[in-house]
Amino acid sequence: MGRPEEGEAKMSKRPAAFVTGGRRGIGRAICWALADGGFDIVVNDVVEDEAVGDTLSGIEARGGQAMFLRGDIGDLAGQEALVRAAWDAFAGIDCLVNNAGVQVAVRGDLLEVTAESWDRVIASTCAAPSS
């Protein structure tokens, strides 16, 4: 689907964007809008499913090159490798969209949220973009 081969930087005349949480929903809309605006896109998400293929196909239909990187941007230990892979995909990142975010594991009363669940929310939505 027009993706660069693993380990091979694809030289593109278009600017490149890295969109976290880009698999579906608002993230997909962002990816498609950036592709309409002339960007090649590295899509990142924690899940790889049919929605990823739909998102990548939509980017390519808009004239962009697309690559998917599965990973959790909230996992600080793996963050550097994930960003490096995104950088290498199109020999740089011109636009970063920190769209990824998670909810607490079980919705309910905020006072009943576990510390582990709260830490995951903070790592994904607050710590990851600032790292």
Side-chain angles (χ1 to χ4, degrees):
M1 296 180 70
R3 289 173 228 132
E5 296 298 318
E6 188 172 330
E8 170 188 320
K10 194 76 157 186
M11 297 306 287
S12 173
K13 294 180 180 146
R14 296 164 55 102
F18 179 34
V19 181
T20 67
R23 173 176 128 258
R24 61 187 179 91
I26 293 170
R28 175 185 287 166
I30 292 168
C31 289
W32 289 357
L34 286 167
D36 282 336
F39 282 81
D40 292 330
I41 315 292
V42 177
V43 179
N44 161 250
D45 213 299
V46 295
V47 175
E48 186 169 5
D49 59 9
E50 286 183 22
V52 171
D54 294 342
T55 300
L56 298 179
S57 294
I59 293 167
E60 292 165 354
R62 290 163 172 78
Q65 292 183 6
M67 177 186 176
F68 178 74
L69 286 176
R70 183 175 182 177
D72 183 354
I73 197 68
D75 173 17
L76 299 181
Q79 200 174 71
E80 184 177 342
L82 185 60
V83 173
R84 185 179 315 275
W87 181 275
D88 291 346
F90 297 113
I93 297 172
D94 301 290
C95 174
L96 172 62
V97 179
N98 289 310
N99 178 66
V102 296
Q103 290 284 352
V104 293
V106 178
R107 289 186 183 207
D109 189 328
L110 182 61
L111 297 175
E112 295 174 6
V113 172
T114 66
E116 295 80 16
S117 183
W118 183 250
D119 287 347
R120 173 141 171 74
V121 170
I122 296 301
S124 178
T125 57
C126 297
S130 65
S131 297

